[in-house]
Amino acid sequence: MENKCTKYEGLMTFGDEARLLEHIETCEDCRREHERMQKVSELIALVAPEIRKSRRKVAKLKMACASFALFCFVSAAGLVNFNTDIHDTIMYGQTLTLEDYGLPVDSYGLIMVN
């Protein structure tokens, strides 16, 4: 059984390029591995523009969703603050009664029923 060289990954990751190329010249196993990695790098370089385009589309979609959510939130917050009639009658520490809500009440403060 023949032992294969396992230095390629270590030299590729942690070594400098000069040491890697020097080792590739002397080792057949690492030369084949380097050729395979070069082919993979070429394929990645071909596909990279398409990946960037798809990422841009996703980023634009996220931006549109965030803008729509912000628009809905601002619109809803503006509608809630238009009801100022109760805010004018209540002060800090007071409690609202049924009369403050505009309901008909009797002398005891209970809802009046006819």
Side-chain angles (χ1 to χ4, degrees), residues 25-87:
E25 290 175 6
T26 60
C27 180
E28 185 64 31
D29 292 335
C30 292
R31 184 176 313 144
R32 278 186 262 142
E33 184 72 21
H34 186 68
E35 289 172 1
R36 285 180 37 213
M37 289 298 159
Q38 290 299 322
K39 289 178 184 177
V40 169
S41 295
E42 290 171 5
L43 289 174
I44 290 173
L46 285 174
V47 177
E50 295 299 322
I51 292 173
R52 285 188 201 109
K53 284 181 187 177
S54 66
R55 286 184 179 173
R56 283 186 195 129
K57 287 180 184 177
V58 170
K60 287 180 183 178
L61 182 63
K62 286 181 182 179
M63 185 78 109
C65 290
S67 299
F68 180 71
L70 182 64
F71 173 75
C72 290
F73 175 74
V74 169
S75 298
L79 292 175
V80 169
N81 288 332
F82 283 135
N83 188 8
T84 58
D85 56 343
I86 293 178
H87 297 292

